[in-house]
Amino acid sequence: MPATDTVCAAGCDFATIQAAIDGTAEGAIIEITDSVHNEAGIVVNKNVTIRGLGAHDTIVQAHETLEEAPERVFLIEEGAIVTVERMTIRHGKPSIPDDCGGGILNWGTLTLKHCVVTDNVANGGGGICDSGTLTLINSTVSN
């Protein structure tokens, strides 16, 4: 069974999703337990599952407001096989104005399960810009 590491503001294995990705082994499960987690520019470069407590219970956002977002939320690198499940991803925008993928830029193999990707902006693919393999299961991309 893969290792499960938790991410939250205090009292968990890691305080940021990026630290959890960097500090876990291939195949790990990273569980976000904050109801709202602010983190931009998360680079996923290995095979992991990133899991929330539910799309209504876990929000991962680049910033509290879309206007102030410094970067997209997730970048999935080429070669990474990633599952993101049970969360809302919002308030992301690329730091490069003409770039795509405000919420997620996918170069790898990404599966979204029971997710909501909403209220992100970009030149193209505001919610998701996909240049890899993308599977959506019971997920919504809007606004």
Side-chain angles (χ1 to χ4, degrees):
M1 183 130 187
T4 300
D5 291 300
T6 57
V7 173
C8 64
C12 289
D13 299 310
F14 296 95
T16 67
I17 298 168
Q18 189 67 64
I21 292 165
D22 295 343
T24 60
E26 292 278 338
I29 297 170
I30 298 168
E31 201 163 76
I32 316 309
T33 61
D34 291 325
S35 58
V36 178
H37 182 86
N38 294 303
E39 187 173 353
I42 303 162
V43 178
V44 186
N45 59 1
K46 63 175 71 166
N47 304 344
V48 294
T49 296
I50 302 170
R51 176 184 297 157
L53 303 175
H56 297 289
D57 299 316
T58 303
I59 297 169
V60 177
Q61 59 189 15
H63 194 275
E64 291 175 10
T65 65
L66 177 57
E67 297 76 29
E68 298 294 321
E71 180 61 273
R72 69 176 50 88
V73 182
F74 287 104
L75 167 63
I76 313 301
E77 290 193 342
E78 187 174 354
I81 301 171
V82 179
T83 300
V84 175
E85 57 188 24
R86 302 188 324 222
M87 69 178 63
T88 294
I89 298 165
R90 72 177 187 191
H91 296 173
K93 65 179 180 182
S95 59
I96 300 168
D98 289 337
D99 210 356
C100 70
I104 302 169
L105 174 56
N106 178 44
W107 292 98
T109 300
L110 174 62
T111 301
L112 289 179
K113 294 180 180 178
H114 307 284
C115 286
V116 174
V117 181
T118 190
D119 298 327
N120 299 281
V121 297
N123 190 37
I128 303 172
C129 182
D130 178 51
S131 293
T133 302
L134 175 64
T135 304
L136 299 175
I137 300 170
N138 295 325
S139 294
T140 301
V141 180
S142 66
N143 294 335

